[in-house]
Amino acid sequence: DRAAAFSAAVLAASPDAIVVDELISGRSVYASRMAAEIVGETAGVTDVALASAGAQPEDQHRLAEALAAVGDLSDGQVLQVRYRSRDAESGHRWLSRRITPFRRDEDGRPVEILSVVRDVSDIVAAEETLTHAALHDPLTGLPNRTLLSDRLTGALFRARRHQQEVAVLFCDLDGFKRVNDSTGHAAGDAVLVETARRLRDCLRSLDTVARVGGDEFVVIVEPLDHGDTVPMPTARQLGESVARRIVATVGKPVVVGETSQSITVSVGLAFAGGAGDAEMTAEDVLRDADAAMYRAKSRGGDRFEVCDPGLQSDLTERGRVASLLRHAIASSSDGVDSPGMSTAPPRGRATCAGALDVAYQPIYDADTGRLAGFEALARLSDSGGTPVPPDVFINVAEEIGLIRPLGMQVLKQACGALARWRSTLPDADHLTMAINLSARQAHHPDLVDEVLAALAEEHLPPDKIVLELTESVLIQAGPSTVKTFQTLHDAGVGIHIDDFGTGYSSLRYLVEFPVTAVKIDRSFTAGLPDDPTSLSIVRAVAGLARDLNLGCTVEGIETVEQQSSLPDGVLLQGYLLGRPGPASSAEQTILAHQTAK
Ligand code: C2E
Ligand code: CA
Ligand code: CA
């Protein structure tokens, strides 16, 4: 009849498989056209045990549970189960099966059930992609912070149950900012991808490594009991050996295109889940590991440190540096650094105050051996006089928005020092002072006024001041920044490109930007005299600078061999010729230079 023909047509046309199974025997009494394809069931085929109809072993229990629950359904109620079925081609496919009672016996118990089965492999794949994207870092493919917290929470749970600690390692690359700033993001990305690969290589497959920030990675190491008779290493032993391996492996140079990037890593280790710390959350462990990492960083990086109770109760190192900086900058803006002051660094009144000071490193003319000037380098020390590495506090100052006041203080102090030397020491008139500018300062609209005011205050000729910028500043420079530097350049201020030579697109800026000199990155100097690539780059850049009528400084000269392999016409800077020192030693350098001639 028409009704039967209609439903037959609908069933035949449906992209879903429609199957009626006898519950007790598991025999299919009806199967639509698509059933053979989707479920592999055909009507009348006996001994298709329903509970395992095509389902993969690991999913059979789901199907079995669903079928057991069908008995409780009233008519029209539907139960849904998703499982994988074996598929000759792709291994498995995902099926979604909606089940409802179809025919009941006198007692009302279902004897036949109807299933609508749909192939949802595409949907599951899309879902997996989405979940993966939500839980992984797209660049390295590693788990992200969300997945990390999940895994860490699970690891802490297991740790407590087995009374066996887990180790958490917080890894932060040293000098990554420098790679990114001087070589650009593509090279930075390549370094991160390579670092991720190396971290994986340092671990067993069951360990987790996640990327939780720009150049920050977290590793979870769980000592797992294999039931071996040999004593199992503790989390501490495992953690330390993994940390050691990471520092050694990640610290090897990374080759990116033509250049080799020297990258090291600071690792902080923390443990949790032992008998003592039932309360520790994933957040707590991460904070401890992070604090230990900062300690590793402040001890020079390229090492690991273990979180200890002292560190836990301490402020994190970052917090400590931030408060040192706040104190140092607050106490200096009280007018302590006014012109004519002694060379003593401004000291805060509070005993916990950090002191911000400037060190001066001499720069020489290679051809004449003459002292050409100094680079001003910011120095921060705590109340005990222990210095904080510039790479650490410059970063913190940038993070907490203090880099501009810090830079201003360096600028004023350095201008004051140069003015004093010019008026009190012989043969100091030609000396220049180089000041480092971070991006935030360079892009600020007040920069011109601030620099010119600092010069005017000390009655310094503008051409005795040099501003050092990294290529990243130039890369990000919009028209207003170009204008800023054009104005400064027109006033006579020198503009040098710091860390030059590692950028693949660096040459463009020499033409488009008002640059007066380039400063060849010290990673090239480090390769001299034996590495032919470094040598040819140094020579090419020096030659290019000469052709473009630009100055050229080679920094990081540590050995006589390095110095003697340099081309003519460059300025020299490095430990071999003079380390950065306080104003008093800069004065001595100027005087010694006088008598030496
Ligand atoms: P930079 O501008 O490349 O400064 C040169 C760095 O090389 C200084 O490190 C200096 O001490 C070091 N150096 C000099 N000669 C040698 C050598 O022969 N061998 C080696 N290995 N290193 C040498 P420092 O003082 O630790 O400063 C690190 C970075 O911190 C600077 O790199 C600069 O980017 C930043 N910085 C320092 N002072 C300031 C500042 O006042 N403002 C800003 N924005 N950044 C600053
Ligand atoms: Ca510099
Ligand atoms: Ca430099």
Side-chain angles (χ1 to χ4, degrees), residues 86 93 134 137 197 260 328 349 353 364-365 391 414 437 510 528:
R86 282 184 286 268
R93 51 166 128 184
D137 158 45
R197 198 189 62 73
S260 163
R349 286 165 300 245
Y364 293 91
D365 185 324
D391 288 330
L437 286 192
L510 300 183
L528 299 178

Side-chain angles (χ1 to χ4, degrees), residues 234-505:
T234 65
R236 290 183 189 250
Q237 293 164 330
L238 262 181
E240 292 195 9
S241 82
V242 170
R244 208 165 288 122
R245 218 176 313 146
I246 287 177
V247 170
T249 313
V250 175
K252 297 209 177 85
V254 180
V255 176
V256 180
E258 311 269 86
T259 67
S260 163
Q261 303 291 343
S262 44
I263 279 281
T264 58
V265 63
S266 296
V267 179
L269 246 176
F271 305 95
D277 54 30
E279 308 284 271
M280 265 182 118
T281 65
E283 279 305 302
D284 296 336
V285 193
L286 284 175
R287 194 207 48 226
D288 284 356
D290 182 64
M293 182 280 289
Y294 257 83
R295 178 181 279 184
K297 227 165 234 227
S298 66
R299 292 183 175 173
D302 194 16
R303 60 187 296 141
F304 73 91
E305 291 287 335
V306 180
C307 179
D308 54 45
L311 192 56
Q312 279 175 33
S313 58
D314 239 26
L315 285 169
T316 64
E317 180 63 10
R318 196 198 307 239
R320 189 182 77 95
V321 171
S323 77
L324 287 177
L325 274 171
R326 287 201 185 91
H327 274 101
I329 285 166
S331 61
S332 75
S333 52
D334 298 342
V336 188
D337 65 329
S338 59
M341 282 292 295
S342 78
T343 55
R347 286 276 168 189
R349 286 165 300 245
T351 48
C352 62
L356 191 59
D357 199 3
V358 181
Y360 302 94
Q361 185 174 29
I363 299 172
Y364 293 91
D365 185 324
D367 296 347
T368 62
R370 215 176 168 212
L371 180 65
F374 292 87
E375 176 174 4
L377 293 159
R379 293 290 178 262
L380 179 74
S381 50
D382 63 20
S383 53
T386 311
V388 181
D391 288 330
V392 172
F393 73 79
I394 296 288
N395 261 317
V396 174
E398 273 167 359
E399 276 169 25
I400 64 177
L402 282 182
I403 192 68
R404 288 195 68 242
L406 182 152
M408 275 313 292
Q409 191 175 328
V410 172
L411 175 71
K412 286 186 186 169
Q413 208 169 317
C415 286
L418 184 62
R420 204 168 48 244
W421 302 338
R422 287 167 62 89
S423 62
T424 59
L425 303 174
D427 197 25
D429 283 351
H430 68 286
L431 296 178
T432 58
M433 181 66 79
I435 316 269
N436 292 284
L437 286 192
S438 76
R440 181 108 39 130
Q441 290 173 276
H443 297 312
H444 201 277
D446 293 345
L447 182 73
V448 174
D449 292 344
E450 288 170 348
V451 171
L452 296 182
L455 289 171
E457 179 141 15
E458 302 292 348
H459 307 290
L460 280 177
D463 65 351
K464 295 298 171 281
I465 288 294
V466 164
L467 300 176
E468 295 194 355
L469 307 173
T470 58
E471 284 172 80
S472 67
V473 172
L474 306 191
I475 292 169
Q476 298 154 11
S480 64
T481 306
V482 175
K483 194 158 159 267
T484 296
F485 285 95
Q486 192 64 55
T487 312
L488 288 166
H489 178 264
D490 293 348
V493 175
I495 293 161
H496 292 191
I497 308 306
D498 208 349
D499 305 338
F500 185 84
T502 49
Y504 48 89
S505 56

Side-chain angles (χ1 to χ4, degrees), residues 37 83 181 266 270 386 397 404 561:
E37 187 173 320
Y83 60 97
D181 284 359
S266 296
T386 311
R404 288 195 68 242
E561 290 74 25

Side-chain angles (χ1 to χ4, degrees), residues 123-137 144 146-147:
I123 297 170
V124 172
E127 282 171 1
E128 278 172 356
T129 313
L130 284 177
T131 328
H132 190 273
L135 296 176
H136 291 80
D137 158 45
N144 63 12
T146 310
L147 184 51

